[in-house]
Every structure is written in C-alpha cells, then in structure tokens.
Amino acid sequence: MSATPSTSLTHSISLPTQLGQPVQVLAAPGLSDSEFRAAIESSLFRQWLKNLECENGILANGYMTLTQVLIQGVDMFGKRIGFLKFKAEIIDKGTGKKVPGIVFARGPAVTVLILLESEGTTYAVLTEQVRVPTGRVVLELPAGMLDDDKGDFVGTAVREVEEEIGIRLKLEDMVDLTAFLDPSTGFKVFPSPGGCDEELGLFLYRGRVDKNIITQLEGKETGCVKNGELIKVRVVPYEKLWHTTPDAKALMAIAIYEMAKKEGLLPQ
C-alpha cells in the first residue's frame, strides 16, 4: 500500500496507543460515500480497532504503529455490513518493515457440535451445503454469524440449529466448549487468522433420542431457500466424524470436546 489512491473520501482517527499519530482511513476508487461511512462506523471496523489495542493486541506494546487503512469493499446484509474488506498499513518500528495487513472482516460466529445417542451409538448431526468459496459441497457443523452487537453467542447457536437442522435446543443444555480455553484466548478460536478476523464460539449439545429421530434427520432438506440456503442434514457416527469432514469447525470442536472430557470438565 505504497501509493495513496485517487479519492476524496478520507477520514482521520486517533488511537489511545498512538497519541499524536492520527490514522488516515481512505476509500478505494469506486467505493461510494455511503459505503465508506458505513464501513468506518460499522461494528466490524470498530471491533478490529479495539482488538489492536487490547492486552495482547498488535499495538499494545508500542512496537508497531498503524499509519493508514484503505477500505476496499463492502457487502451489505440488509441494512448492516456483513463483510468488509480493507488493507491496513502497520509498521514494525524495529525493522521499519510493513507487516501483512490484508483483512477480510466478518466478525464473530458460532457453531454447534450436536451429539445424539441412540441405541448405544453416538451420532453427530451436520449440514451439507454448497460453499462457493471452496467450489465444493461441504459437510460441516451448523453455524452462523451473530446478527448484532450484543454478543449473544449461545442464543445465536440455538437459532442456527433450529434454522439449519430443524430441531429446537434448550439454552440451558448448551455447553460452551470455548469456555474451557485459557483466558488469554478470549475464549474464542480463530479459524483463519492470516486473512480473516472471524472468531468462533464452539458449543456442544448432547442428547438421547429414539432411532426413528436419527432416520428422520438423515437427508432432511432445510435452510432458508429465499436466501439461497440449500441445506441437507447428515447424520454421521461420532467415532467416524474426525476423518469424514474437512470442516475446521468440526475438527476444532472435536479436539476441545475430547480434551475437556479427558480432563473431566464436562457437566454430567
């Protein structure tokens, strides 16, 4: 990001860790004024700035400095920003070099590992859906983005399961797997921190059902068709899940679940 883009849309921000060093926020050519204003006022951008200055944030120790941000793209989900793309110019003061700063911001999300026991076998309930970025149909855990700034991870998890799987879970039966992580993690996991800010809350649900419920769930078509969600429910024996899915959410959930179980941390 060595050259300043040809645009009149600019904004200056001041950060507590960089007093006297304002950060210039610029709009890439083609970005409208309304998109630019929505971007810099969005919860996605505000949270990213907050993360920079948190206890283990990039700017917290004074070794690096943020000089400029180029807002490149905005995708609206109704009246709110769903996805935000920008480039941040962050300099390592020790070397004078820029660190990689391309950011795809989409914010927090949740996923649920649903385990149903039936006739002595434990099954995992997953979704199978088209994932255009991968070019593939992917077998994965039900998941969804938080719709607001309230941070209601468990409520969102329950809603997503009902929408994608078609079963209603009780809030009190949900176990937050990420709560077992060390506090330094923020009790969240980052699936792709090299390019994306997405942080995941991983939840667990365990229940017992009759075999006919397992049969009814397998192949069930769900999702919001008007939003392009073409989802099929898949039921997989849990012991086979780890080598059946390419989904990082599922593999992370399995890892934390198994370790928490080994350590005796799970509620009975």
Side-chain angles (χ1 to χ4, degrees):
M1 205 165 89
S2 56
T4 301
S6 177
T7 175
S8 61
L9 297 178
T10 64
H11 180 74
S12 180
I13 58 177
S14 296
L15 300 176
T17 54
Q18 295 186 179
L19 295 177
Q21 296 178 290
V23 179
Q24 294 301 311
V25 185
L26 313 172
L31 201 71
S32 70
D33 180 75
S34 61
E35 289 175 328
F36 180 60
R37 299 302 165 189
I40 60 179
E41 294 171 4
S42 68
S43 60
L44 291 176
F45 191 61
R46 294 198 311 269
Q47 184 61 52
W48 177 75
L49 291 174
K50 183 178 179 180
N51 290 347
L52 290 176
E53 300 189 292
C54 70
E55 183 178 356
N56 57 349
I58 294 172
L59 305 181
N61 58 20
Y63 297 154
M64 296 190 183
T65 183
L66 172 65
T67 60
Q68 182 175 292
V69 177
L70 176 66
I71 306 294
Q72 297 175 307
V74 170
D75 284 303
M76 302 299 295
F77 288 11
K79 295 183 179 180
R80 71 180 181 90
I81 291 182
F83 299 141
L84 177 63
K85 170 72 163 47
F86 58 91
K87 289 180 71 175
E89 189 170 278
I90 294 181
I91 308 297
D92 179 355
K93 294 180 181 179
T95 64
K97 301 292 186 179
K98 299 176 185 176
V99 298
I102 297 175
V103 181
F104 172 59
R106 55 172 294 160
V110 295
T111 189
V112 187
L113 175 62
I114 303 173
L115 301 180
L116 301 179
E117 185 179 334
S118 180
E119 297 183 358
T121 300
T122 299
Y123 298 91
V125 183
L126 298 97
T127 65
E128 186 179 71
Q129 54 185 311
V130 172
R131 291 304 194 188
V132 175
T134 70
R136 298 174 57 182
V137 175
V138 179
L139 182 68
E140 61 185 285
L141 296 186
M145 301 167 62
L146 265 66
D147 294 330
D148 51 43
D149 301 334
K150 297 178 182 179
D152 182 13
F153 281 83
V154 65
T156 301
V158 169
R159 288 195 301 274
E160 288 299 326
V161 169
E162 187 169 357
E163 291 174 7
E164 295 192 359
I165 303 296
I167 58 179
R168 183 171 297 177
L169 308 181
K170 294 181 180 179
L171 289 174
E172 59 268 25
D173 292 334
M174 303 290 285
V175 177
D176 185 354
L177 292 174
T178 36
F180 299 129
L181 299 177
D182 187 85
S184 64
T185 66
F187 304 109
K188 300 293 181 293
V189 295
F190 295 92
S192 187
C196 183
D197 74 326
E198 182 182 35
E199 58 179 46
L200 275 174
L202 305 176
F203 289 85
L204 167 71
Y205 174 83
R206 294 173 295 177
R208 288 184 173 85
V209 297
D210 294 332
K211 190 59 180 289
N212 67 301
I213 298 298
I214 301 297
T215 303
Q216 291 171 14
L217 285 172
E218 173 58 35
K220 181 180 179 180
E221 296 184 353
T222 63
C224 184
V225 177
K226 69 177 182 180
N227 291 336
E229 292 182 344
L230 306 176
I231 298 173
K232 283 188 177 181
V233 178
R234 295 301 184 196
V235 182
V236 177
Y238 174 68
E239 63 179 13
K240 297 182 179 181
L241 179 59
W242 69 273
H243 63 97
T244 303
T245 175
D247 179 33
K249 301 185 301 297
L251 298 174
M252 288 186 292
I254 291 170
I256 299 176
Y257 169 63
E258 289 296 335
M259 290 305 298
K261 184 167 62 173
K262 180 181 177 181
E263 297 290 328
L265 300 176
L266 297 172
Q268 298 301 316

